Amino acid sequence: ISWLRSTLYGPMIILPRRNVSYPFAKPYKEIPITFGEWWNADPEAVINQALQTGAGPNVSDAYTINGLPGPLYNCSSKDTFRLKVKPGKTYLLRLINAALNDELFFSIANHTLTIVEADGIYVKPFETDTLVISPGQTTNVLLKANPHFPNSTFLMAARPYATGQGTFDNSTTAGILEYHRLSNSPVPHKKQRLPLFKPTLPQLSDTSFVANFTKKFRSLASAQYPANVPQAIQKRFFFTMGLGSSPCPVNQTCQGPNGTKFSSSFNNISFTLPTTALLQAHFFGNSNGVYTPDFPTRPASPFNYTGTPPNNTMVNNGTKVVVLPFNTSVELVLQDTSILGVES
C-alpha cells in the first residue's frame, strides 16, 4: 500500500505444473534478482511531503540488487551481491523491478542475455546485451556462462532510464558475476586480482534504445502456449496517462512546475480518493456523492502525445469510473504522454 511497498518485499515464484517443462532447455539453476531502493528516510514521510508540497518526491539513497547497493556507492563495497556461476552452465535469472517509480537499464559485462518471459508470459526468445525493466515488471532471462574459466570477473549494473521533469535517483547499483574455478584452472597468486570488466549502459534518456528493445517482444504463440486474443470487442477505450499539474491551494506555497503541484492523470482526470470504498458504494447503491460513472473513454483534446506538450498542463480532478456490463470484451489502449514527464 502506497510507499510501504519499498520496505519489506520478496519474490513470489510461480513454477510450471508438475511434469510440464519450460518451452526452452531446462536451466542448470534459477536465481531471483530483485532491483530495489535503499532509503535512509522513512519512505511514507517522503511521499506525504511530496503530496503536500506538490513537488517531485525526494529520491532514494541508492538502488539495490537483492538488497545490496554494491561497490559504486560510498562505503558499500562489502554490501555487494555476488552471482557465482559454473563455466558452460545456463542460468535462469528471474528479474524483478521493485523500485518505486524508476525504469531501469540492466546489463552484465561481456555476457548476452536471452529473454524468454515477461510478466508471467512466455515470449519468443531474443538476445540482448542490455534490457529495460519497469517498476513492478518481471523479466526472465537465460544467462549462458562462458564454456571456460575466463580468469576475470564481471560487473552487473542497473541504473535509471529517465526523461522529463520528474525526480529520480541518478545513480548506479552493481553486483559481481564470478566464475567457480575448475579443478584444472591455474590458481592465481594470492596478491593477484582478477580483472573486472564493466558493462556499457545506455544514456539516461536513450529513448531510441528503449523503443527498439520493446519492439522485439512477441507472444510465443505456440500450440502449447497460444496467444488467445478476443476477436469480438464490445467496448474500445483509449487512455492517455502522464504527469500534468494542479493549481496550488489557496494560502499554500507549492513546489511543482511554476508554483503548481505535480499531478498524474488518465485522460486528464486525476483521481480523487473517495472516503467510501468504490465497490462498497456500488454494491449498496450509494454511489451518489462517492463517484460518477462518466470517466472519458478518449482524451477530450487529442494532441501529439509524445511530441511538443500542450501549453496548458492543468489536469481535472474527480472520482470518475467506467461502468461495464459483466463479461464485456474490452480493447484498452494505454498511451503515455510527455507533458511534464512520463508515468509508469
Side-chain angles (χ1 to χ4, degrees), residues 224-274:
Q224 188 176 5
Y225 300 100
N228 293 324
V229 180
Q231 300 298 308
I233 303 298
Q234 283 95 39
K235 297 281 187 180
R236 286 180 166 83
F237 300 135
F238 187 91
F239 287 179
T240 59
M241 62 180 188
L243 204 58
S245 53
S246 291
C248 189
V250 178
N251 298 325
Q252 184 177 334
T253 301
C254 295
Q255 299 171 11
N258 300 316
T260 63
K261 283 188 165 189
F262 274 117
S263 189
S264 56
S265 69
F266 278 102
N267 281 357
N268 213 45
I269 304 294
S270 189
F271 185 66
T272 301
L273 196 68

Side-chain angles (χ1 to χ4, degrees), residues 262-325:
F262 274 117
S263 189
S264 56
S265 69
F266 278 102
N267 281 357
N268 213 45
I269 304 294
S270 189
F271 185 66
T272 301
L273 196 68
T275 55
T276 303
L278 296 179
L279 286 179
Q280 177 184 340
H282 169 72
F283 281 119
F284 287 97
N286 297 325
S287 62
N288 286 343
V290 179
Y291 66 82
T292 57
D294 57 347
F295 188 89
T297 58
R298 304 187 70 82
S301 303
F303 61 97
N304 183 356
Y305 303 117
T306 59
T308 303
N311 292 327
N312 182 7
T313 64
M314 291 293 181
V315 303
N316 297 312
N317 296 280
T319 309
K320 299 176 182 290
V321 303
V322 174
V323 179
L324 295 169

Side-chain angles (χ1 to χ4, degrees), residues 129-160:
D129 296 329
T130 303
L131 59 83
V132 187
I133 184 166
S134 297
Q137 187 181 15
T138 63
T139 303
N140 288 356
V141 303
L142 295 175
L143 168 69
K144 186 169 178 56
N146 295 328
H148 307 290
F149 181 75
N151 226 29
S152 305
T153 55
F154 305 90
L155 205 68
M156 62 178 77
R159 77 173 181 202

